[in-house]
Amino acid sequence: MKKKIKLVLGFYWLKYWKRSKKSVGRQLARRVKYMKFAWKAYKEGVVYFRIDRVAGEFTNALYEETPEMSFEEKLKYCNLGFHPHWKARVGVTMDNYKEFINYWEFYNRRAYNNQRYNLFDDKLLTYYALNKWANYIPIHYFYMHKGNLCPLDSTEKTNLTYKNVLELIKQKPLAAKKCHGGHGDGFHKLAFNEGCILIDDKTCNENDLKDLIESMDDYIITDFSYPSLALQRVIGEDSFAVMRVLTTYTKEEGASVDRMIIRIGTKVAGHTQAGYGILYANIDGEGCIRDTVYEYSGWHCEKMEKHPETGKTIEGFKLEGISELKQELTDIAGHLSVAPYLVWDIIPTEKSFSILEINSHGQLENFERFEILKKNKKLCQLLQLS
């Protein structure tokens, strides 16, 4: 029996060794460091399908530029279960780190607790799950499977080709998104302006559009959602504004909206909602933007009351319809109680709001910039934090 267990474990770690090349590159030192972090994650109780993510992030963090941090200091943070950039981004130090939820706790097997946390990590499943609330999601025209267009909300149902997408973008911009993944990876904005096809704001020809559409697999194509005109006047027409909302559910207390923040883009960020060139801000109970922080190269963070490109004041801007948003999200989260802890990406639009996606067991790092979440007893109960 022990021999069989050893064989299974040996196969298991061989799989991670092979994975390490994709996650951290070919260099032997990095792959060895990856394996050490993978073993550490396993010993700390990280759920098996998140071990690669944790080991990859920590290994890459050791070798990337981080402001005023040595290799040794970054290694200390990783061993405590924190990405080193939490020092600059969140304010984690060697004195206060116990106040924050680390990766070992967040990705722990007990935190997943056999709930259906993976149910909404697929944007196509989210589309079906939110069908009852279709007025709060963008129109989903197509699902892309190996270059083939499968109709969803499209009025055209047969003989679909890239030309159907071309005809749509002549009327309004569209968004093409991977069904799995996040941070803007694989995202494309498709538009048409003054007789020109635009892919990610760059002029392209029809063959470029054809090649892109036919290369897509496991994508959805939807309306491109814009922030309200009032917000656009402050942040610029081409900057994104995406709220991140945390909801929780317990059978004793029901569903609730626990936290709201917003990410605001710049030309530096483009359409990527993670990385440099993004403003992060808290949203208070009245729907006002507060405590805005601008994050730029090397994980440097600076408090900023005005948008760095428009010069317009962001601090204190009031988002309309927050009461309606809270009420509707509380209702929806109550219906999706099989996944009791959800993180939503939402655009505050002109008429209401538009739900872009739901993140099952979504990361909490950006919330922790503004509030220590270990004080949230309901969330700690769901994550089974000691």
Side-chain angles (χ1 to χ4, degrees), residues 326-345:
K326 287 182 178 179
Q327 182 178 341
E328 291 300 322
L329 280 193
T330 300
D331 178 53
I332 299 171
H335 282 78
L336 305 182
S337 58
V338 291
Y341 151 53
L342 296 169
V343 176
W344 311 65
D345 285 346

Side-chain angles (χ1 to χ4, degrees), residues 172-174 189-191 201 223-229 231-232 236-241 271 347-352 354 356:
K172 53 185 173 180
L174 300 180
K189 180 182 179 182
L190 310 175
D201 303 322
D223 272 341
F224 188 92
S225 299
Y226 287 96
S228 67
L229 291 175
L231 189 51
Q232 285 185 53
E237 294 180 3
D238 298 322
S239 294
F240 62 78
H271 299 297
I347 292 183
T349 61
E350 188 67 21
K351 295 181 179 179
S352 179
S354 179
L356 299 184

